[in-house]
Amino acid sequence: MRVRAFISRYLPELALMLFCAINLVWVALAQGWEALPVHFIFVSVSIVYGLRMWSPMTSVLALFAVVVPIFVLTLRAIEMGSEGQAELAEIPLMSLIFLVMVWHVRERQLVVERGRALFDNASHELLTPLTIARGEIELLGRGGATPTLEELLETRRVVLEELQRSEVLAGGLLALSRLDGAFSLQRSLVATDDLLDAAVERWSRVTNRSIIIARRAGGEVSCSRQDLERLLDNLIENALRHTHDGSLVTLAAASRGGRFVLEVSDQGAGVPADELPYIFDRFYRARSADGTRGSGLGLAIVKAIAEAHDGMVSVQSEVGVGTAFRVEIPGFQTAPSERWLPLVA
């Protein structure tokens, strides 16, 4: 039974080994026809890989297992005069083609896995607020009693909060779907000072905390203004959520080697070292200072926007001191003069 189970489990690999062995015998015996069975071997390995989706290590080992005897037999054929030395070039070429195929398939597989994981998480996250809202409505008039005005107002508040949460989640998921897809950014030259000023003006209307621009870059960056505004808004919102009243949020911009460098720092509680590797993961939620729940997508969107602009985002944090996010985006052009005046909201 064990033998039968083993054969059933590894039947494609066993068939591949037999087929390769037959073709290697063909290479050893046939003179002047060595190229044909060699091509058959590489094609068969590619077909079985497509069926089994081996791990990268297994794929490399399988390739090594066929390349070594093919190389030895090709050298033998060259010494016998039945093949020219140019045939040796086909071996690394075919190997490279196989490895490129493996890499491409693995990348596509990772995209599919990420999409499946995103769908599973999104389904749960979107259903949770709807379930809460439905439960609140079902509690009204439970047992035949007429709900009071206070109960109606409280139910209205909870339902609106949960629907707003669903709206934020749906918007974040649509943004990530767009950024993950094959699309080209609608770039234009955006004045970085105007970008910072507009962000401070927007957020000064909804918070009583101070948001200052400590340093300006004084130039322009090639980017999608809408996406970069969202990136900055998400970083500011994250800073406000994880700080207390009276705390300061600082924006700073600079240029470095043709790159626009943007920093958003706060004086919050900081992020523990064991949580830092996960804060850009989708649906990851760190503990907030104001007790509110975020969507878990804000920082993931920041990372996606930065990478869509061929840039990067990093974070430094110290517990009890604060957190600083740094975004670097290429395509910066320095203006004739730089302005350094701080703006306080």
Side-chain angles (χ1 to χ4, degrees), residues 172-195:
L173 289 170
L174 287 174
L176 284 173
S177 176
R178 179 178 63 86
L179 292 167
D180 286 343
F183 82 106
S184 57
L185 291 172
Q186 300 298 317
R187 294 176 182 261
S188 62
L189 287 177
V190 177
T192 59
D193 288 356
D194 293 344
L195 190 72

PDB file of all heavy atoms in Angstrom, residues 172-195:
ATOM      1  N   GLY A 172     -10.596  51.992   0.471  1.00  0.00           N
ATOM      2  CA  GLY A 172      -9.218  51.524   0.570  1.00  0.00           C
ATOM      3  C   GLY A 172      -8.952  50.320  -0.301  1.00  0.00           C
ATOM      4  O   GLY A 172      -7.898  50.221  -0.942  1.00  0.00           O
ATOM      5  N   LEU A 173      -9.900  49.400  -0.354  1.00  0.00           N
ATOM      6  CA  LEU A 173      -9.733  48.207  -1.188  1.00  0.00           C
ATOM      7  C   LEU A 173      -9.701  48.571  -2.671  1.00  0.00           C
ATOM      8  O   LEU A 173      -8.921  47.994  -3.439  1.00  0.00           O
ATOM      9  CB  LEU A 173     -10.873  47.218  -0.901  1.00  0.00           C
ATOM     10  CG  LEU A 173     -10.824  46.532   0.463  1.00  0.00           C
ATOM     11  CD1 LEU A 173     -12.121  45.766   0.714  1.00  0.00           C
ATOM     12  CD2 LEU A 173      -9.633  45.586   0.544  1.00  0.00           C
ATOM     13  N   LEU A 174     -10.545  49.517  -3.070  1.00  0.00           N
ATOM     14  CA  LEU A 174     -10.530  49.955  -4.469  1.00  0.00           C
ATOM     15  C   LEU A 174      -9.198  50.617  -4.812  1.00  0.00           C
ATOM     16  O   LEU A 174      -8.654  50.415  -5.906  1.00  0.00           O
ATOM     17  CB  LEU A 174     -11.687  50.923  -4.722  1.00  0.00           C
ATOM     18  CG  LEU A 174     -13.095  50.302  -4.773  1.00  0.00           C
ATOM     19  CD1 LEU A 174     -14.149  51.398  -4.873  1.00  0.00           C
ATOM     20  CD2 LEU A 174     -13.210  49.348  -5.958  1.00  0.00           C
ATOM     21  N   ALA A 175      -8.662  51.403  -3.873  1.00  0.00           N
ATOM     22  CA  ALA A 175      -7.374  52.052  -4.112  1.00  0.00           C
ATOM     23  C   ALA A 175      -6.257  51.029  -4.247  1.00  0.00           C
ATOM     24  O   ALA A 175      -5.413  51.118  -5.150  1.00  0.00           O
ATOM     25  CB  ALA A 175      -7.062  53.028  -2.972  1.00  0.00           C
ATOM     26  N   LEU A 176      -6.250  50.034  -3.368  1.00  0.00           N
ATOM     27  CA  LEU A 176      -5.219  48.999  -3.444  1.00  0.00           C
ATOM     28  C   LEU A 176      -5.351  48.173  -4.714  1.00  0.00           C
ATOM     29  O   LEU A 176      -4.350  47.791  -5.326  1.00  0.00           O
ATOM     30  CB  LEU A 176      -5.307  48.095  -2.218  1.00  0.00           C
ATOM     31  CG  LEU A 176      -4.755  48.671  -0.914  1.00  0.00           C
ATOM     32  CD1 LEU A 176      -5.064  47.750   0.248  1.00  0.00           C
ATOM     33  CD2 LEU A 176      -3.257  48.903  -1.015  1.00  0.00           C
ATOM     34  N   SER A 177      -6.598  47.887  -5.109  1.00  0.00           N
ATOM     35  CA  SER A 177      -6.810  47.126  -6.337  1.00  0.00           C
ATOM     36  C   SER A 177      -6.270  47.886  -7.536  1.00  0.00           C
ATOM     37  O   SER A 177      -5.643  47.307  -8.436  1.00  0.00           O
ATOM     38  CB  SER A 177      -8.300  46.833  -6.515  1.00  0.00           C
ATOM     39  OG  SER A 177      -8.544  46.173  -7.731  1.00  0.00           O
ATOM     40  N   ARG A 178      -6.486  49.196  -7.564  1.00  0.00           N
ATOM     41  CA  ARG A 178      -5.981  50.012  -8.667  1.00  0.00           C
ATOM     42  C   ARG A 178      -4.458  50.057  -8.657  1.00  0.00           C
ATOM     43  O   ARG A 178      -3.804  49.933  -9.699  1.00  0.00           O
ATOM     44  CB  ARG A 178      -6.541  51.429  -8.563  1.00  0.00           C
ATOM     45  CG  ARG A 178      -6.068  52.371  -9.655  1.00  0.00           C
ATOM     46  CD  ARG A 178      -6.715  53.727  -9.507  1.00  0.00           C
ATOM     47  NE  ARG A 178      -6.345  54.363  -8.258  1.00  0.00           N
ATOM     48  CZ  ARG A 178      -5.243  55.101  -8.095  1.00  0.00           C
ATOM     49  NH1 ARG A 178      -4.426  55.288  -9.112  1.00  0.00           N
ATOM     50  NH2 ARG A 178      -4.977  55.659  -6.938  1.00  0.00           N
ATOM     51  N   LEU A 179      -3.866  50.214  -7.472  1.00  0.00           N
ATOM     52  CA  LEU A 179      -2.415  50.305  -7.372  1.00  0.00           C
ATOM     53  C   LEU A 179      -1.734  48.974  -7.663  1.00  0.00           C
ATOM     54  O   LEU A 179      -0.608  48.936  -8.151  1.00  0.00           O
ATOM     55  CB  LEU A 179      -2.020  50.803  -5.978  1.00  0.00           C
ATOM     56  CG  LEU A 179      -2.412  52.255  -5.671  1.00  0.00           C
ATOM     57  CD1 LEU A 179      -2.282  52.544  -4.184  1.00  0.00           C
ATOM     58  CD2 LEU A 179      -1.557  53.221  -6.483  1.00  0.00           C
ATOM     59  N   ASP A 180      -2.407  47.877  -7.330  1.00  0.00           N
ATOM     60  CA  ASP A 180      -1.841  46.558  -7.591  1.00  0.00           C
ATOM     61  C   ASP A 180      -1.933  46.174  -9.062  1.00  0.00           C
ATOM     62  O   ASP A 180      -1.184  45.320  -9.536  1.00  0.00           O
ATOM     63  CB  ASP A 180      -2.551  45.488  -6.757  1.00  0.00           C
ATOM     64  CG  ASP A 180      -2.148  45.550  -5.295  1.00  0.00           C
ATOM     65  OD1 ASP A 180      -1.114  46.180  -4.999  1.00  0.00           O
ATOM     66  OD2 ASP A 180      -2.868  44.989  -4.456  1.00  0.00           O
ATOM     67  N   GLY A 181      -2.860  46.759  -9.782  1.00  0.00           N
ATOM     68  CA  GLY A 181      -3.077  46.384 -11.166  1.00  0.00           C
ATOM     69  C   GLY A 181      -2.049  46.998 -12.092  1.00  0.00           C
ATOM     70  O   GLY A 181      -1.206  47.812 -11.710  1.00  0.00           O
ATOM     71  N   ALA A 182      -2.129  46.567 -13.361  1.00  0.00           N
ATOM     72  CA  ALA A 182      -1.218  47.091 -14.384  1.00  0.00           C
ATOM     73  C   ALA A 182      -1.789  48.400 -14.916  1.00  0.00           C
ATOM     74  O   ALA A 182      -2.633  48.420 -15.799  1.00  0.00           O
ATOM     75  CB  ALA A 182      -1.047  46.078 -15.509  1.00  0.00           C
ATOM     76  N   PHE A 183      -1.345  49.504 -14.345  1.00  0.00           N
ATOM     77  CA  PHE A 183      -1.822  50.808 -14.783  1.00  0.00           C
ATOM     78  C   PHE A 183      -0.644  51.776 -14.784  1.00  0.00           C
ATOM     79  O   PHE A 183       0.349  51.576 -14.092  1.00  0.00           O
ATOM     80  CB  PHE A 183      -2.929  51.318 -13.864  1.00  0.00           C
ATOM     81  CG  PHE A 183      -2.413  51.964 -12.605  1.00  0.00           C
ATOM     82  CD1 PHE A 183      -2.455  53.340 -12.440  1.00  0.00           C
ATOM     83  CD2 PHE A 183      -1.867  51.183 -11.600  1.00  0.00           C
ATOM     84  CE1 PHE A 183      -1.965  53.913 -11.288  1.00  0.00           C
ATOM     85  CE2 PHE A 183      -1.380  51.761 -10.439  1.00  0.00           C
ATOM     86  CZ  PHE A 183      -1.434  53.133 -10.280  1.00  0.00           C
ATOM     87  N   SER A 184      -0.764  52.806 -15.574  1.00  0.00           N
ATOM     88  CA  SER A 184       0.294  53.813 -15.629  1.00  0.00           C
ATOM     89  C   SER A 184      -0.189  55.064 -14.909  1.00  0.00           C
ATOM     90  O   SER A 184      -1.313  55.530 -15.122  1.00  0.00           O
ATOM     91  CB  SER A 184       0.648  54.140 -17.084  1.00  0.00           C
ATOM     92  OG  SER A 184      -0.496  54.570 -17.788  1.00  0.00           O
ATOM     93  N   LEU A 185       0.666  55.598 -14.047  1.00  0.00           N
ATOM     94  CA  LEU A 185       0.312  56.792 -13.296  1.00  0.00           C
ATOM     95  C   LEU A 185       0.171  57.992 -14.231  1.00  0.00           C
ATOM     96  O   LEU A 185       0.926  58.147 -15.181  1.00  0.00           O
ATOM     97  CB  LEU A 185       1.396  57.092 -12.254  1.00  0.00           C
ATOM     98  CG  LEU A 185       1.517  56.112 -11.082  1.00  0.00           C
ATOM     99  CD1 LEU A 185       2.750  56.444 -10.261  1.00  0.00           C
ATOM    100  CD2 LEU A 185       0.281  56.161 -10.214  1.00  0.00           C
ATOM    101  N   GLN A 186      -0.804  58.840 -13.940  1.00  0.00           N
ATOM    102  CA  GLN A 186      -0.959  60.100 -14.656  1.00  0.00           C
ATOM    103  C   GLN A 186      -0.082  61.131 -13.951  1.00  0.00           C
ATOM    104  O   GLN A 186      -0.522  61.840 -13.062  1.00  0.00           O
ATOM    105  CB  GLN A 186      -2.427  60.527 -14.675  1.00  0.00           C
ATOM    106  CG  GLN A 186      -3.365  59.530 -15.340  1.00  0.00           C
ATOM    107  CD  GLN A 186      -3.018  59.312 -16.803  1.00  0.00           C
ATOM    108  OE1 GLN A 186      -2.728  60.260 -17.544  1.00  0.00           O
ATOM    109  NE2 GLN A 186      -3.053  58.061 -17.237  1.00  0.00           N
ATOM    110  N   ARG A 187       1.178  61.178 -14.345  1.00  0.00           N
ATOM    111  CA  ARG A 187       2.141  62.040 -13.657  1.00  0.00           C
ATOM    112  C   ARG A 187       2.075  63.479 -14.169  1.00  0.00           C
ATOM    113  O   ARG A 187       1.758  63.731 -15.323  1.00  0.00           O
ATOM    114  CB  ARG A 187       3.564  61.500 -13.842  1.00  0.00           C
ATOM    115  CG  ARG A 187       3.815  60.148 -13.178  1.00  0.00           C
ATOM    116  CD  ARG A 187       5.219  59.674 -13.499  1.00  0.00           C
ATOM    117  NE  ARG A 187       5.519  58.371 -12.940  1.00  0.00           N
ATOM    118  CZ  ARG A 187       6.189  58.173 -11.815  1.00  0.00           C
ATOM    119  NH1 ARG A 187       6.626  59.213 -11.117  1.00  0.00           N
ATOM    120  NH2 ARG A 187       6.432  56.950 -11.374  1.00  0.00           N
ATOM    121  N   SER A 188       2.419  64.375 -13.269  1.00  0.00           N
ATOM    122  CA  SER A 188       2.587  65.781 -13.612  1.00  0.00           C
ATOM    123  C   SER A 188       3.563  66.365 -12.600  1.00  0.00           C
ATOM    124  O   SER A 188       3.825  65.768 -11.547  1.00  0.00           O
ATOM    125  CB  SER A 188       1.255  66.527 -13.581  1.00  0.00           C
ATOM    126  OG  SER A 188       0.700  66.485 -12.271  1.00  0.00           O
ATOM    127  N   LEU A 189       4.106  67.533 -12.927  1.00  0.00           N
ATOM    128  CA  LEU A 189       5.016  68.193 -11.999  1.00  0.00           C
ATOM    129  C   LEU A 189       4.200  68.908 -10.923  1.00  0.00           C
ATOM    130  O   LEU A 189       3.367  69.774 -11.233  1.00  0.00           O
ATOM    131  CB  LEU A 189       5.915  69.180 -12.746  1.00  0.00           C
ATOM    132  CG  LEU A 189       7.023  68.567 -13.609  1.00  0.00           C
ATOM    133  CD1 LEU A 189       7.783  69.648 -14.352  1.00  0.00           C
ATOM    134  CD2 LEU A 189       7.970  67.732 -12.748  1.00  0.00           C
ATOM    135  N   VAL A 190       4.434  68.511  -9.672  1.00  0.00           N
ATOM    136  CA  VAL A 190       3.678  69.050  -8.543  1.00  0.00           C
ATOM    137  C   VAL A 190       4.639  69.805  -7.635  1.00  0.00           C
ATOM    138  O   VAL A 190       5.698  69.278  -7.264  1.00  0.00           O
ATOM    139  CB  VAL A 190       2.976  67.924  -7.765  1.00  0.00           C
ATOM    140  CG1 VAL A 190       2.257  68.479  -6.543  1.00  0.00           C
ATOM    141  CG2 VAL A 190       2.000  67.184  -8.672  1.00  0.00           C
ATOM    142  N   ALA A 191       4.268  71.029  -7.280  1.00  0.00           N
ATOM    143  CA  ALA A 191       5.084  71.816  -6.352  1.00  0.00           C
ATOM    144  C   ALA A 191       4.978  71.203  -4.962  1.00  0.00           C
ATOM    145  O   ALA A 191       3.876  71.104  -4.403  1.00  0.00           O
ATOM    146  CB  ALA A 191       4.623  73.263  -6.344  1.00  0.00           C
ATOM    147  N   THR A 192       6.089  70.778  -4.410  1.00  0.00           N
ATOM    148  CA  THR A 192       6.062  70.089  -3.116  1.00  0.00           C
ATOM    149  C   THR A 192       5.616  71.006  -1.988  1.00  0.00           C
ATOM    150  O   THR A 192       4.951  70.558  -1.054  1.00  0.00           O
ATOM    151  CB  THR A 192       7.450  69.515  -2.805  1.00  0.00           C
ATOM    152  OG1 THR A 192       8.415  70.573  -2.780  1.00  0.00           O
ATOM    153  CG2 THR A 192       7.855  68.494  -3.859  1.00  0.00           C
ATOM    154  N   ASP A 193       5.952  72.294  -2.065  1.00  0.00           N
ATOM    155  CA  ASP A 193       5.510  73.222  -1.021  1.00  0.00           C
ATOM    156  C   ASP A 193       3.989  73.347  -1.014  1.00  0.00           C
ATOM    157  O   ASP A 193       3.352  73.371   0.046  1.00  0.00           O
ATOM    158  CB  ASP A 193       6.141  74.594  -1.233  1.00  0.00           C
ATOM    159  CG  ASP A 193       7.633  74.585  -0.910  1.00  0.00           C
ATOM    160  OD1 ASP A 193       8.130  73.531  -0.456  1.00  0.00           O
ATOM    161  OD2 ASP A 193       8.299  75.616  -1.122  1.00  0.00           O
ATOM    162  N   ASP A 194       3.396  73.443  -2.204  1.00  0.00           N
ATOM    163  CA  ASP A 194       1.929  73.526  -2.295  1.00  0.00           C
ATOM    164  C   ASP A 194       1.285  72.264  -1.746  1.00  0.00           C
ATOM    165  O   ASP A 194       0.219  72.321  -1.118  1.00  0.00           O
ATOM    166  CB  ASP A 194       1.506  73.731  -3.751  1.00  0.00           C
ATOM    167  CG  ASP A 194       1.931  75.093  -4.291  1.00  0.00           C
ATOM    168  OD1 ASP A 194       2.277  75.972  -3.472  1.00  0.00           O
ATOM    169  OD2 ASP A 194       1.930  75.258  -5.518  1.00  0.00           O
ATOM    170  N   LEU A 195       1.925  71.131  -1.981  1.00  0.00           N
ATOM    171  CA  LEU A 195       1.397  69.860  -1.486  1.00  0.00           C
ATOM    172  C   LEU A 195       1.335  69.866   0.041  1.00  0.00           C
ATOM    173  O   LEU A 195       0.325  69.468   0.638  1.00  0.00           O
ATOM    174  CB  LEU A 195       2.291  68.718  -1.979  1.00  0.00           C
ATOM    175  CG  LEU A 195       1.784  67.292  -1.781  1.00  0.00           C
ATOM    176  CD1 LEU A 195       0.627  67.003  -2.727  1.00  0.00           C
ATOM    177  CD2 LEU A 195       2.905  66.294  -2.022  1.00  0.00           C
TER     178      LEU A 195
END
